[in-house]
Amino acid sequence: MNHPDVAYHPRLVDPAGERVDQSKDFGLTMIIDKGIGLASFEEFLQLAGQYVNYIKLGFGTTILYPPEILRKKLFLAQESGVALYPGGTLFEIAYYQGVLKNYLDSIEKLGFSYMEISDGTIDLPTSERHNMIREITARGFTVITECGKKAGGSHLSVEDLQKTLYSDLEHGASYVIVEGRESGTNVGIYDKKGRIDTEFLLAVEQAIPVDVRKRLIWEAPQKNQQIELLYFWGRNVNMGNIQFEDAYNLECLRRGLRFDTFILGRESSAIQADCLTDYKNTGHIIL
């Protein structure tokens, strides 16, 4: 994106020439907010709001904010074209405690129009999950769901992801997040060292067509995970649980404004041939 008073050449702004803008329904970036202050939040949006689609209020932090601060955050996010929403853990707590209607009434009154439905900690029967998606979208919310458990050592099967993705979308969800927590270790598609199960990604590629896969948001809090997902799925893969301080870093990775992804599959340059060779041979980027 060029700034109106500075005429950067397009090949400097986006060397790869592949980055889509915020109006598209893919290439999404979701930031996790673990309690950033209002001034920092506003400054972040001024600097990086144009590169972000969603900001998730992590865990159950939403409930701890003074209402006037939440409303200000919502206003600032909306002004920047960014969707702010409560994390799925708060939905799970409200459901488990039997106060879901009160929760929905409260966040609607505050001004939220997006929310996350998950069952990373609780047991939520499939039929009830579908009912929740339908009922909450009927109230006017845009629903994002999450697939996967949060307990250490919990890993997805391709079949479960495929089934959840198709059924959640069918019942009204807009996107499905693939669980990775804020650590990116020993959960979902990551092992204890945070390395991606590339065999899982290959199986997903075979099982789920690209027009449906673009409704997946991969939680990828670590830089090496972001790089590997970009190498595997391309520059416009949807990614979430990105730290505030990494928003510019990720956008640079997407555009080829960092060494790590400068060529990303381009045959015309040998600058990073060693990284490409490592990926093809091992399924991992050696950083």
Side-chain angles (χ1 to χ4, degrees), residues 144-244:
I144 300 169
T145 62
E146 187 172 66
C147 182
K149 295 296 184 181
K150 295 185 182 298
S154 299
H155 297 284
L156 285 169
S157 72
V158 175
E159 292 76 16
D160 284 344
L161 177 60
Q162 183 181 30
K163 181 179 178 181
T164 300
L165 175 61
Y166 276 95
S167 61
D168 283 5
L169 294 179
E170 180 184 352
H171 287 88
S174 295
Y175 292 92
V176 175
I177 299 170
V178 182
E179 178 67 73
R181 305 205 67 183
E182 87 272 16
S183 65
T185 56
N186 198 30
V187 69
I189 62 172
Y190 304 116
D191 67 13
K192 291 181 180 179
K193 294 184 177 180
R195 295 174 301 198
I196 292 178
D197 182 352
T198 51
E199 292 299 320
F200 181 90
L201 298 186
L202 287 166
V204 169
E205 186 176 36
Q206 292 296 315
I208 304 173
V210 65
D211 62 320
V212 182
R213 285 202 309 270
K214 73 178 185 179
R215 297 296 172 184
L216 289 170
I217 299 175
W218 304 86
E219 290 188 340
Q222 299 182 25
K223 174 190 165 189
N224 64 302
Q225 296 165 353
Q226 296 159 18
I227 293 171
E228 288 201 39
L229 288 170
L230 288 166
Y231 266 81
F232 196 94
W233 298 121
R235 297 188 186 273
N236 294 302
V237 58
N238 303 324
M239 283 190 267
N241 274 15
I242 309 302
Q243 305 297 316
F244 274 95

